[in-house]
């Protein structure tokens, strides 16, 4: 239809930007909601983003945080360091200037 007068140009089916999903998508997890906002799949207002950011620490912990497992790992590391090649204290002197050292 390139050469037909009045038929070239205009809207084509499927062309253009795809419509965004509404904000109520049923995403119960704040991390999934924030990812959807970040990727542009969901249009959210500032209050929704702030609420999801505030709720995030209650559902997901930070990568660096740990509980008992982290403490146990640190204790095991300290125990392993005190083995054959671990750091030792200062040597005890048997005598100093001919006098016994207590």
């Amino acid at each position: 239809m390139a050469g037909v007068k009045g038929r070239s140009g205009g809207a084509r089916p499927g062309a253009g930007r795809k419509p965004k999903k509404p904000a109520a998508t049923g995403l119960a997890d704040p991390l999934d909601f924030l990812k959807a906002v970040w990727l542009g799949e969901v249009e959210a207002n500032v209050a929704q983003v702030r609420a999801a950011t505030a709720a995030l620490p209650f559902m997901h912990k930070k990568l660096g945080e740990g509980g008992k497992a982290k403490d146990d790992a640190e204790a095991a590391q300290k125990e392993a360091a005190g083995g054959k090649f671990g750091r030792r204290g200062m040597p005890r002197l048997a005598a100093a200037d001919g006098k016994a050292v207590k």
Side-chain angles (χ1 to χ4, degrees), residues 5-52:
K5 190 170 189 166
R7 298 288 258 161
S8 59
R12 295 180 307 278
R17 292 186 181 206
K18 306 301 179 225
K20 293 186 178 184
K21 295 179 185 176
T25 59
L27 295 173
D29 190 14
L31 185 61
D32 292 339
F33 175 74
L34 290 173
K35 283 182 182 178
V37 171
W38 175 46
L39 293 174
E41 298 171 354
V42 176
E43 217 171 305
N45 60 22
V46 175
Q48 291 172 324
V49 173
R50 284 186 182 169

Side-chain angles (χ1 to χ4, degrees), residues 52-66:
T53 305
L56 196 60
F58 295 101
M59 299 189 78
H60 299 280
K61 65 179 183 177
K62 293 181 182 178
L63 293 178
E65 291 180 358

